[in-house]
Amino acid sequence: MKIIHSDVLVVGGGLAGQRVALAVKRRGLEPSILSLVPAKRSHSVAAQGGMQASLANCFKGEGDNEDVHFEDTVRGSDWGCDQRVARMFAHIAPKAIRELAAWGVAWNRVRGGDHEVVINGQRLTLTERADAHGLITARDFGGTRKWRTCYTSDGTGHAMLYTLSDQVIAASIPVHERQEALALIHDGYRCHGAVVRDLITGELSAHLARATVVASGGYGRIYGISTNALINEGMGAALALETGVARLGNMEAVQFHPTAIVPTGILVTEGCRGDGGVLRDVDGHRFMPDYEPEKKDLASRDVVSRRMAEHMRAGKGVASAYGEHLWLDITQLGAAHIDKNLREVKDICRYFLGIDPARDFIPVRPTQHYSMGGIRTDYRGESQWLTGLFSCGEAACWDLHGFNRLGGNSVAETVVAGMLVGEYVADFCESGLGEQEISTALAREFVERERHSLESLVTRPGRENAVELRRRMERIMTDKVGLFRNGPDLDSAVAELAELLARSGDVGVNGNSGGSLGANPELVLAYRLPRMLKVALTVAMGARDRTESRGAHFREDHPARNDRDWLNRTLACWREGDTLPTLEYEELDVPTMELPPGFRGYGAKNIIDHPDTAPRQAEVDEMRAAKLDRYAAQSYLMSFKQFLPLKYRGRNERLDEPLP
Amino acid sequence: MTASRTLTFQIFRHNPRDPGSEPGVRDYQVEETPGMTLFIALTRIREEIDPGLSFDFVCRAGVCGSCAMLINGRPGLACRSLTKDLPAVIRLLPLPGFELIADLSVNTGKWMRAMSERLQTWVHTASEVNPNEIEVGMDPDLAEAVYELDRCIECGCCVAACGTALMRPDFVGAVGLNKLARFRLDPRDDRGDAEYYQLIGDDSGIFGCMSLLGCQDVCPKELSLQTQIAFMRRAMARQGL
């Protein structure tokens, strides 16, 4: 049996995984990264519009700071997030972006003086201050009170991922490309690494490490149409789930992005609307102001997506061979702006739709986009149920996004979480808990279990067709666990998925691949399918049992946000031998919230209050009335700096906020 | 769309790690549908005809660089190639110049990592950043110009289309030369032409280019490879004097 040792095994080569690896390497530890694909091809590369960080450099960002970013994030989450994590995140984001700037990301910069912009359909002139010239600029995004989303044209993820990957290469960190973790090696208490399959040769090996970090992205591909890369199949969540002890958090929290093109589901960035684009219906009418007069096209993503679906239900959709859609109109921005700041959008329109977005409307509709749920961890990124298992980025639920993520907060989260979790992982490795004590017998047991299961896949007759079962799963998720949800549909989704899971045990690999255990896509689908179905079941069951509406989780039969009964986080685990996951709930603690639950300001207010909300709000109001400086007030309401690594506790400098 | 066509795909099949595998081309028939891309067609072939067919798609949106292959003899990204722009017989071969994994899947990742290590494609700077402080300013036009060269997706098309790369396996390709042009333009990189000369001042680097410029013709991101190579050659020639 081949055994590979490292200090830290990172599963996933996207932004989060690579930033964790870099952090622990800088602490003198030896990380190694597993990636399904060459690291620079990870899904992080597809992030377009930008990264939120409260730099406050541009005119429309003036007055921005951590407090505003924090509040936008909490509101965006519909109060489902962990406010301590949101605070830590807002504090680190400016540091993360400045670090990336020093490493080479070519962030777009402020140009001092006058420039033209399109806001709410009007052409306006903004004047940028002279002392901001050359600093990192930002664009508008949904659900934010300031222009805070920093960008490199609309290839932000690409620029960040390439810069970070090159830093990883510079640090001589090994990236094991085309290698897939099949199972975590653990004894029920402590995680020791993973069983790994080489996708080129089929060889199995045991990767043992003091700490294992799952940073493998989301689970969007359990849906039929998704903006996600094909590799985002939720295998990280499945790894944790199949330990039988680690928990997944808020799996029912699934985001649908308003503007994916029809029919392929490829994303066009929220930056289109941030830069002044608008949504139009079959009559060419701009309909968002009718529904959301204040935020209009730049309401939070969950809200815009639902309003679009509502508008199509009202008969205002555009009919097409691929079902109904609406239009995204960026023609007003002009060719020069699009050529410079929305060039990926232009390419996508040209190659996949055969249109020019400077002249033509873009056909769009809401499409699965982001997984707020993931492996439940504490603020340090560690599973509370399996020591030595860490997770960060989209794979994790530490829980920055609650029930709805703001645009621009995902790539920001990847690097911020990578910086923080990397430090905590290094602390763990240096502590007594981080000592590695594992018998090779345990590793062998896990490797042999996987070997046996793969061999049985290629030798048994197999009466079920994996492609067919997968299509069925995708259809169920899209139709019954989508944008609008209801009890009867969710009941049947759970029942059908459970049946598919049972049937998936009878899939065989006996097509033209000749039952090869080597490079064989048929085998890969066969072993991933039951794992995907398990993940899908945690989503469907979480959605079925959560009888309220919060953020992206909308129940037509329970439209109110019910803080009284549901201000909590869903936890899912899958006990060995069970046919369904077990759900439990973790309460959110109102009396310690810096921002007590409130109204987000969309549509009509429909909230059942938590009994602790009013008393906590009174305390907060009293505190605000005292008019302390913002740092003192914040620290009084919810101190968080003691949880940060020492090196990251310093304040962030801004043009109007010099360092003390 | 006129009456639908039946497309014939002639696809290279071979797994070099399977002793029983003989390299060859296999034909597949697929009914064309509106808006069909090679990604859609290949997925359909795998799902309905040949579940063992290997190919690489990740983003399927033209940004990750995974799916480059020879499409009727020309290197290109399969995910964004529409079948309506191709004849009814479509021949797909793996990208030349890279290690074959199986069928249409090649190991561009390994090649690119080796190139990055060799050319040290990262910002070299002696100063450690204090991330609490306001970032160092940069001219907005210069930032845009650096991003322009940063848009390479390492798909390998330029290497597959390169006459020099065919003859010299150690040639860094337009991808490598463009990367150094990018860092040379970037004021954050402390390296000067003398250092770059050490990296590419020979026939495996800038002087290996024969100016055939197939790279420029096939680059899916339409990078200005011709211009970058010309600038680099002039700068390196000056160094060599």
Side-chain angles (χ1 to χ4, degrees):
Chain A
M1 180 181 58
K2 184 166 157 189
I3 298 184
I4 296 169
H5 292 273
S6 59
D7 290 318
V8 180
L9 174 65
V10 181
V11 181
L15 282 169
Q18 295 205 58
R19 188 61 188 82
V20 162
L22 213 47
V24 300
K25 178 82 180 187
R26 288 174 169 223
R27 290 276 297 267
L29 297 162
E30 288 304 324
S32 90
I33 298 174
L34 299 177
S35 184
L36 292 176
V37 296
K40 284 176 180 166
R41 316 219 188 283
S42 304
H43 185 49
S44 303
V45 85
Q48 296 173 1
M51 161 172 173
Q52 283 204 44
S54 58
L55 300 182
N57 290 328
C58 67
F59 173 75
K60 293 290 257 179
E62 275 176 32
D64 199 10
N65 59 39
E66 299 86 356
D67 297 352
V68 190
H69 191 185
F70 163 80
E71 291 189 2
D72 285 346
T73 301
V74 175
R75 286 202 174 86
S77 81
D78 219 352
W79 276 271
C81 74
D82 180 327
Q83 296 197 7
R84 182 199 287 170
V85 168
R87 255 300 165 191
M88 294 167 67
F89 163 76
H91 174 78
I92 300 292
K95 303 182 201 305
I97 205 163
R98 285 166 174 167
E99 179 182 83
L100 287 165
W103 288 348
V105 174
W107 299 107
N108 279 66
R109 302 287 170 147
V110 176
R111 227 176 267 275
D114 291 352
H115 64 113
E116 272 208 340
V117 294
V118 177
I119 298 177
N120 191 23
Q122 307 293 313
R123 231 164 228 291
L124 303 172
T125 299
L126 300 182
T127 308
E128 301 292 342
R129 56 200 274 186
D131 58 353
H133 182 82
L135 299 182
I136 298 171
T137 192
R139 57 164 45 126
D140 200 7
F141 250 46
T144 65
R145 278 175 292 165
K146 301 283 178 185
W147 290 22
R148 186 187 299 126
T149 304
C150 308
Y151 58 96
T152 52
S153 183
D154 58 350
T156 313
H158 170 92
M160 292 171 70
L161 185 64
Y162 271 57
T163 294
L164 206 47
S165 296
D166 286 336
Q167 286 294 322
V168 162
I169 295 170
S172 303
I173 296 171
V175 181
H176 302 280
E177 295 176 356
R178 297 177 187 264
Q179 306 259 338
E180 174 169 13
L182 293 181
L184 295 175
I185 298 170
H186 68 98
D187 55 16
Y189 304 96
R190 175 77 164 90
C191 181
H192 297 289
V195 179
V196 175
R197 178 170 183 268
D198 185 318
L199 291 164
I200 298 177
T201 64
E203 187 187 17
L204 294 183
S205 56
H207 284 241
L208 302 181
R210 296 157 181 263
T212 304
V213 186
V214 177
S216 53
Y219 44 89
R221 283 283 161 186
I222 61 175
Y223 285 81
I225 302 176
S226 167
T227 65
N228 286 191
L230 304 170
I231 51 175
N232 298 124
E233 297 179 315
M235 290 303 103
L239 278 177
L241 198 58
E242 292 202 322
T243 62
V245 285
R247 269 40 162 195
L248 307 182
N250 283 347
M251 292 296 282
E252 67 271 32
V254 175
Q255 179 170 81
F256 294 80
H257 195 291
T259 60
I261 64 169
V262 178
T264 53
I266 296 170
L267 179 76
V268 291
T269 174
E270 187 162 316
C272 290
R273 283 170 291 133
D275 290 3
V278 297
L279 293 165
R280 297 189 187 280
D281 64 16
V282 65
D283 306 320
H285 171 62
R286 183 187 172 198
F287 58 91
M288 275 308 295
D290 305 343
Y291 293 101
E292 300 294 342
E294 194 195 330
K295 285 291 200 167
K296 306 181 182 73
D297 301 87
L298 282 173
S300 233
R301 281 183 183 170
D302 57 331
V303 176
V304 177
S305 286
R306 273 196 298 277
R307 294 305 198 185
M308 289 170 74
E310 208 178 326
H311 203 62
M312 287 191 277
R313 281 180 173 187
K316 294 295 181 182
V318 183
S320 85
Y322 300 99
E324 293 203 324
H325 64 79
L326 292 159
W327 299 115
L328 173 63
D329 171 13
I330 60 170
T331 57
Q332 207 190 346
L333 309 188
H337 180 90
I338 292 168
D339 285 346
K340 196 174 271 188
N341 288 316
L342 295 168
R343 50 192 309 168
E344 296 299 335
V345 170
K346 185 183 173 184
D347 267 7
I348 288 165
C349 288
R350 172 170 141 205
Y351 287 104
F352 296 93
L353 297 168
I355 61 169
D356 174 4
R359 292 187 295 120
D360 310 310
F361 294 172
I362 308 168
V364 294
R365 74 172 157 233
T367 300
Q368 194 288 335
H369 179 60
Y370 188 81
S371 312
M372 274 78 73
I375 300 171
R376 177 69 186 135
T377 73
D378 60 16
Y379 73 90
R380 299 160 46 253
E382 189 178 21
S383 167
Q384 296 95 325
W385 299 271
L386 194 57
T387 303
L389 172 63
F390 290 78
S391 181
C392 66
E394 190 173 351
C397 176
W398 63 332
D399 175 2
L400 173 63
H401 308 301
F403 280 77
N404 175 60
R405 173 177 70 74
L406 294 183
N409 263 356
S410 65
V411 281
E413 177 188 33
T414 60
V415 286
V416 167
M419 291 164 77
L420 289 175
V421 173
E423 296 300 322
Y424 302 130
V425 166
D427 292 345
F428 169 83
C429 288
E430 288 169 2
S431 75
L433 286 171
E435 296 299 342
Q436 203 177 353
E437 292 167 20
I438 176 183
S439 79
T440 49
L442 183 69
R444 180 179 303 279
E445 184 191 320
F446 273 81
V447 171
E448 289 312 316
R449 188 187 298 175
E450 293 306 316
R451 187 188 314 282
H452 176 77
S453 126
L454 294 173
E455 281 170 357
S456 92
L457 273 176
V458 295
T459 50
R460 70 191 181 197
R463 282 166 302 186
E464 296 286 356
N465 178 329
V467 171
E468 212 173 279
L469 298 188
R470 177 169 183 167
R471 290 287 162 263
R472 187 71 210 125
M473 169 191 71
E474 293 173 351
R475 174 48 65 87
I476 294 167
M477 295 306 291
T478 303
D479 291 351
K480 300 181 175 176
V481 200
L483 200 50
F484 292 109
R485 302 168 174 182
N486 66 69
D489 276 353
L490 290 165
D491 280 334
S492 84
V494 171
E496 287 179 68
L497 290 168
E499 189 209 324
L500 291 180
L501 177 60
R503 287 171 62 189
S504 72
D506 205 7
V507 162
V509 180
N510 41 26
N512 300 355
S513 57
S516 163
L517 282 166
N520 180 358
E522 188 181 16
L523 175 63
V524 171
L525 173 59
Y527 67 70
R528 285 186 193 166
L529 177 67
R531 293 170 163 93
M532 291 175 78
L533 282 162
K534 285 183 176 177
V535 171
L537 271 162
T538 63
V539 178
M541 269 183 71
R544 181 193 70 183
D545 290 4
R546 181 171 285 275
T547 49
E548 66 149 359
S549 293
R550 185 179 298 277
H553 170 70
F554 189 82
R555 286 284 298 258
E556 292 176 289
D557 45 354
H558 298 278
R561 190 183 89 197
N562 185 344
D563 289 351
R564 185 189 64 206
D565 304 314
W566 286 102
L567 192 57
N568 58 26
R569 192 170 289 123
T570 310
L571 300 176
C573 78
W574 199 298
R575 304 212 170 89
E576 203 166 333
D578 281 3
T579 53
L580 285 176
T582 303
L583 301 187
E584 53 199 275
Y585 295 91
E586 177 188 349
E587 295 302 315
L588 268 57
D589 187 36
V590 177
T592 57
M593 286 182 183
E594 179 176 342
L595 189 67
F599 176 46
R600 287 166 83 200
Y602 298 119
K605 186 175 176 185
N606 189 4
I607 300 170
I608 300 167
D609 282 323
H610 191 282
D612 293 340
T613 297
R616 178 58 178 166
Q617 188 63 55
E619 280 173 21
V620 171
D621 291 344
E622 193 180 332
M623 184 65 218
R624 298 271 180 231
K627 298 213 179 299
L628 296 175
D629 89 309
R630 71 181 187 92
Y631 298 103
Q634 194 288 318
S635 158
Y636 180 86
L637 286 171
M638 192 184 73
S639 78
F640 72 101
K641 284 214 174 156
Q642 67 273 27
F643 301 112
L644 290 170
L646 264 177
K647 65 196 275 192
Y648 292 136
R649 290 186 192 176
R651 288 186 184 180
N652 297 308
E653 185 183 21
R654 294 182 181 81
L655 287 172
D656 294 327
E657 281 189 315
L659 290 176
Chain B
M1 186 108 204
T2 51
S4 88
R5 297 187 297 174
T6 300
L7 304 174
T8 300
F9 286 90
Q10 302 175 336
I11 299 177
F12 180 80
R13 296 291 325 258
H14 180 48
N15 181 347
R17 279 157 205 86
D18 176 359
S21 168
E22 288 285 334
V25 169
R26 198 181 145 183
D27 286 8
Y28 304 87
Q29 252 84 44
V30 175
E31 287 302 306
E32 188 172 33
T33 52
M36 181 178 257
T37 60
L38 291 182
F39 161 65
I40 294 170
L42 284 168
T43 304
R44 188 171 300 165
I45 290 171
R46 183 194 274 177
E47 289 184 349
E48 294 170 10
I49 309 173
D50 190 347
L53 178 63
S54 287
F55 47 74
D56 292 321
F57 290 98
V58 179
C59 75
R60 60 81 178 88
V63 295
C64 79
S66 299
C67 65
M69 57 183 71
L70 285 190
I71 304 160
N72 284 341
R74 189 180 170 90
L77 297 182
C79 73
R80 67 177 205 191
S81 297
L82 295 166
T83 54
K84 75 173 174 59
D85 300 330
L86 295 165
V89 177
I90 300 168
R91 197 172 176 86
L92 301 178
L93 303 178
L95 205 62
F98 299 92
E99 182 184 305
L100 180 67
I101 293 173
D103 308 335
L104 299 174
S105 171
V106 294
N107 206 334
T108 48
K110 186 176 168 185
W111 195 99
M112 293 298 166
R113 167 112 185 185
M115 177 274 295
S116 280
E117 287 173 353
R118 179 171 151 205
L119 298 184
Q120 302 178 17
T121 59
W122 52 86
V123 162
H124 287 54
T125 171
S127 56
E128 188 68 11
V129 59
N130 177 350
N132 299 336
E133 291 173 359
I134 289 180
E135 64 276 10
V136 177
M138 192 169 176
D139 178 74
D141 293 323
L142 182 57
E144 284 176 11
V146 170
Y147 175 66
E148 195 59 41
L149 303 187
D150 201 46
R151 293 178 69 243
C152 168
I153 57 174
E154 298 190 2
C155 61
C157 285
C158 61
V159 177
C162 174
T164 303
L166 277 179
M167 297 185 296
R168 298 192 62 110
D170 62 347
F171 184 56
V172 300
V175 53
L177 298 172
N178 176 69
K179 273 180 195 285
L180 286 194
R182 176 239 180 274
F183 288 104
R184 187 167 176 270
L185 191 62
D186 193 329
R188 294 166 291 198
D189 193 333
D190 295 339
R191 287 177 290 185
D193 282 347
E195 282 93 346
Y196 294 127
Y197 186 82
Q198 293 300 316
L199 296 168
I200 54 164
D202 63 9
D203 285 352
S204 69
I206 193 70
F207 302 120
C209 172
M210 302 182 290
S211 303
L212 301 174
L213 298 168
C215 53
Q216 168 101 24
D217 295 341
V218 300
C219 176
K221 289 288 150 183
E222 296 169 338
L223 298 177
S224 57
L225 299 172
Q226 178 176 2
T227 309
Q228 299 313 318
I229 290 172
F231 281 165
M232 267 323 230
R233 185 188 291 117
R234 195 160 55 185
M236 293 303 104
R238 220 182 283 128
Q239 273 301 311
L241 289 177

